[in-house]
Amino acid sequence: MYGFETRAIHAGQEPDPTTGAVMPPIHATSTFAQDGVGGLRGGYEYSRSANPTRTALEECVAALEQGARGLAFASGMAAEDTLLRTVLRPGDHVVIPNDAYGGTYRLFSKVLERWGVSWTAVPVSDVSAVRAALQPSTAVVWVETPTNPLLNVADIKALADTAHDAGALLVVDNTFATPYLQQPLTLGADVVVHSTTKYCGGHSDVVGGAIVAADPELGEQLAFHQNAIGAVAGPFDAWLVLRGLKTLALRMERHSDNAERIVATLSAHPAVTEVLYPGLADHPGHEVAARQMRRFGGMVSFRVAGGEEAAVAVCNRARVFTLAESLGGVESLIEHPGRMTHASAAGSALEVPADLVRLSVGIETVDDLLADLDHALTP
């Protein structure tokens, strides 16, 4: 198998056979001419069912995650919803992280509950807690690792064994780690999901999602539901994510370099009470992360002395770090999860600490980022 960087640039992206274009064309078409009734050219008939630009992205992301089938969607939540409506039935039960992404929590608590699906939130970094939460009706163990926003780490291999012993699937949201830093399917996971809006796209200019399945049969089922439900990635969005994937390895190295410098500075800052980052030797998941990740990534969370208002003030004082939701772009972002990305979890078991600040560390000059954080942390 070719190396990661080679696959990112070439998988699913052979030069165009008609023109020789080295970049995949953007096939901005809704329908395709047929050579007689049922005579499809290359298998394409209608762009909801399949589009060549989307196919290129799907083949590339499958190659990067080392899976059997990749599928691209209009958003990460569209990918999650399609996956769950494929593998769940009314009466099924799901185990989810007790600090899951707010949108994922909302999908389970406000949408799937009404469909008859129950769920239990536990710390997925604790294999025994996951095992204890399993029920006879458990169909899926849903894992983020690192989690959003507390950056807890789950042991993918151990949880795959635990889920499979119970007859359940292990699904891993790999958005934070990316396929460059971590490949869950090689550790026993059944399905990987991504918000390709984030690191895969990498430039904060596209919204998208992806699923990669390890099993070809499940991949076919997911493809059927992708077409039936219809929340597919458009050709221009697919092209933008493909472009982003080409530089993913380079960007993740710089994101990680910058994050490590920032973590070291925050750890010594008097206004910071705790830094959450898997690369820290005293992080509870450090050993597992070191084993299953190439590096520790560009996401950093920290808690601020003075509570919620102090944390909000830090976010408001930042200048190089842009105050915004989302993550994974080349630019650095700062946010207050309790009032922003995780507001939907307020008052629930998944509520995040009020004094928490989350950083998406970009690829700017790191000294500028450090100076900006020092300014933001100084009243």
Side-chain angles (χ1 to χ4, degrees):
M1 178 185 292
Y2 290 113
F4 184 92
E5 293 87 345
T6 303
R7 283 178 280 144
I9 293 169
H10 294 289
Q13 302 166 77
E14 293 295 324
D16 180 66
T18 302
T19 66
V22 297
M23 289 296 294
I26 301 171
H27 290 271
T29 183
S30 60
T31 192
F32 299 84
Q34 299 186 20
D35 296 323
V37 176
L40 307 184
R41 301 182 190 179
Y44 295 101
E45 56 182 342
Y46 186 62
S47 274
R48 172 171 41 77
S49 302
N51 177 283
T53 313
R54 191 171 85 236
T55 298
L57 172 58
E58 292 174 337
E59 291 180 0
C60 185
V61 73
L64 296 182
E65 287 286 8
Q66 299 189 49
R69 183 71 180 266
L71 298 162
F73 294 84
S75 69
M77 294 311 304
E80 290 190 16
D81 185 54
T82 301
L83 168 60
L84 291 167
R85 292 185 187 276
T86 301
V87 301
L88 295 178
R89 299 293 180 270
D92 282 346
H93 172 258
V94 181
V95 177
I96 69 171
N98 66 347
D99 61 336
Y101 166 57
T104 300
Y105 164 73
R106 184 174 57 234
L107 178 60
F108 281 105
S109 65
K110 305 298 183 184
V111 179
L112 292 172
E113 266 193 17
R114 297 171 59 191
W115 197 48
V117 171
S118 62
W119 53 275
T120 302
V122 300
V124 293
S125 56
D126 184 345
V127 177
S128 62
V130 173
R131 187 177 296 112
L134 295 171
Q135 302 176 10
S137 59
T138 302
V140 169
V141 174
W142 185 281
V143 172
E144 299 170 12
T145 184
T147 60
N148 180 8
L150 298 182
L151 295 165
N152 290 311
V153 173
D155 187 328
I156 296 171
K157 185 178 187 306
L159 288 178
D161 293 341
T162 299
H164 297 159
D165 287 346
L169 298 174
L170 179 67
V171 176
V172 177
D173 182 338
N174 204 30
T175 298
F176 269 26
T178 79
Y180 177 68
L181 298 182
Q182 178 174 271
Q183 294 166 2
L185 300 183
T186 67
L187 298 170
D190 299 287
V191 185
V192 166
V193 296
H194 283 280
S195 171
T196 56
T197 309
K198 313 303 194 297
Y199 287 108
C200 290
H203 295 78
S204 300
D205 56 7
V206 63
V207 173
I211 299 172
V212 182
D215 176 58
E217 184 177 347
L218 177 57
E220 286 299 317
Q221 295 170 11
L222 289 165
F224 174 85
H225 281 83
Q226 179 196 43
N227 182 46
I229 295 171
V232 297
F236 184 58
D237 291 346
W239 187 88
L240 285 172
V241 176
L242 266 175
R243 184 183 65 171
L245 287 174
K246 292 177 185 295
T247 59
L248 178 62
L250 294 172
R251 288 185 286 107
M252 293 312 299
E253 290 290 344
R254 181 59 175 263
H255 286 300
S256 298
D257 287 344
N258 283 359
E260 288 172 7
R261 287 279 306 278
I262 285 169
V263 164
T265 298
L266 290 175
S267 296
H269 201 288
V272 175
T273 61
E274 184 181 13
V275 180
L276 308 176
Y277 187 68
L280 287 169
D282 60 355
H283 186 285
H286 175 73
E287 183 180 341
V288 173
R291 186 169 66 244
Q292 66 188 23
M293 297 178 70
R294 189 192 303 253
R295 293 189 68 182
F296 301 106
M299 299 303 300
V300 178
S301 292
F302 62 96
R303 303 180 72 170
V304 179
E308 181 174 8
E309 294 308 316
V312 170
V314 169
C315 294
N316 287 334
R317 282 195 293 264
R319 292 295 177 265
V320 181
F321 279 84
T322 300
L323 178 61
E325 297 186 359
S326 197
L327 58 103
V330 293
E331 69 290 324
S332 293
L333 303 180
I334 189 169
E335 67 129 357
H336 184 266
R339 294 191 184 182
M340 296 172 69
T341 53
H342 291 68
S344 63
S348 76
L350 281 73
E351 185 173 17
V352 299
D355 59 356
L356 188 74
V357 174
R358 191 191 74 180
L359 305 177
S360 174
V361 179
I363 64 172
E364 299 97 334
T365 304
V366 70
D367 288 340
D368 295 332
L369 298 177
L370 293 170
D372 190 47
L373 286 174
D374 184 62
H375 165 77
L377 286 162
T378 304

